[in-house]
Amino acid sequence: MDMTEPEANAREREVMDATLRLIGRGGLKAVTHRAVAAEIGMSLGAITHRYGTRDLLVEAALNFALMREVARLRALALKLQSDALDLEAWIDALVGWYAKELDSEAEIHVACYEAFLAAARDDRYQPIVAEWHQTWRRSAELALTAAGSRVPELHAGIFVSAVVGIVLEQLASPRRSFKKEMRAALLELVRGLIGKR
C-alpha cells in the first residue's frame, strides 16, 4: 500500500528528526542507517532504500535542520517585530525563546552547530548556513535600527555572533542562570554598540 503525501512527509520528518537527535547526542559519527532505524522503529531497508549512503542521510538531515531553523527564525523575527521599538522587550522575547528551545530541543540545536562545522569543511552546506545567518542579521538589524544604531548592519553581525556564542556555551556547559545572564549580556552589548547607558 502506498503512503499518501502527508504520510510520506511525516515519515520523512521522523527520519530527519531521528537523525538530528543522533547527531545531537553523539555527533556525525553516531549516524548509521541502523541507528536511525532503531531510533524510530522503522525497518533498516526503508532507511537504506531512501538514503543509499550514510553521507546522503547526514547531508539530508543537516540541510533539513538548517532549512527548518531558517523558517523558525523568520517566524520569530516576525513575532519580534512588534517589540522592535522596545529594545528590552525584544531582548526579553529573544532570550525567552532560546531558554525554552534549549530546554526542549537542545539536541536539535547541537545538530545545527554540527551543520555550521560541516559548512566549514564542505561548501555544499555554505549556502544554507549563509541563509541562516542572513535571516538572523535582518531581524537584529530591525531592532538595532529602532534602538538608534548608526550602523545597524555592522551591529547586527556582532549581535548575532554573540547570540551564537552564548547559545553554544549553554549547550556545552548548561547553567541555571542562563536566561538572566544572556539577557544581561545582550543588553550590555547593545547599549555599548549604540552608545546608550
Side-chain angles (χ1 to χ4, degrees):
M1 180 169 109
D2 290 338
M3 284 192 285
T4 66
E5 190 172 332
E7 288 171 332
N9 287 341
R11 214 52 172 148
E12 185 81 8
R13 280 193 303 275
E14 192 178 2
V15 170
M16 294 294 95
D17 283 337
T19 305
L20 292 171
R21 285 194 302 273
L22 289 168
I23 292 170
R25 288 197 300 260
L28 298 179
K29 68 184 182 325
V31 177
T32 65
H33 292 95
R34 189 173 305 283
V36 173
E39 180 81 8
I40 55 176
M42 186 182 277
S43 75
L44 178 59
I47 304 290
T48 55
H49 175 73
R50 176 68 178 90
Y51 302 98
T53 68
R54 179 191 168 282
D55 286 346
L56 284 174
L57 179 58
V58 168
E59 182 178 351
L62 294 180
N63 276 308
F64 174 83
L66 288 170
M67 285 188 289
R68 180 170 61 186
E69 286 309 298
V70 165
R72 283 157 40 98
L73 284 173
R74 285 184 180 143
L76 175 63
L78 286 173
K79 182 174 179 278
L80 292 176
Q81 279 180 7
S82 62
D83 295 324
L85 295 176
D86 180 341
L87 180 66
E88 288 199 32
W90 184 77
I91 287 177
D92 284 344
L94 176 65
V95 169
W97 186 80
Y98 263 114
K100 183 178 174 189
E101 281 288 302
L102 297 184
D103 271 349
S104 62
E105 301 281 352
E107 290 171 350
I108 301 300
H109 286 275
V110 171
C112 285
Y113 282 90
E114 288 283 356
F116 299 162
L117 292 173
R121 294 185 292 263
D122 187 333
D123 59 8
R124 286 179 297 173
Y125 300 107
Q126 289 174 3
I128 189 67
V129 169
E131 188 176 350
W132 185 94
H133 280 352
Q134 186 178 33
T135 300
W136 242 130
R137 282 193 293 267
R138 276 195 298 258
S139 173
E141 262 184 72
L142 176 72
L144 291 165
T145 298
S149 170
R150 290 183 310 255
V151 282
E153 190 174 333
L154 173 65
H155 289 164
I158 295 167
F159 182 86
V160 170
S161 294
V163 169
V164 169
I166 290 168
V167 171
L168 178 59
E169 184 181 356
Q170 178 65 9
L171 287 167
S173 302
R175 52 203 187 282
R176 288 191 187 128
S177 56
F178 166 72
K179 195 171 174 180
K180 180 181 174 185
E181 289 175 16
M182 184 179 190
R183 181 185 190 278
L186 293 179
L187 277 171
E188 182 68 19
L189 173 64
V190 172
R191 287 174 179 154
L193 290 172
I194 64 177
K196 290 184 180 176
R197 291 286 163 187

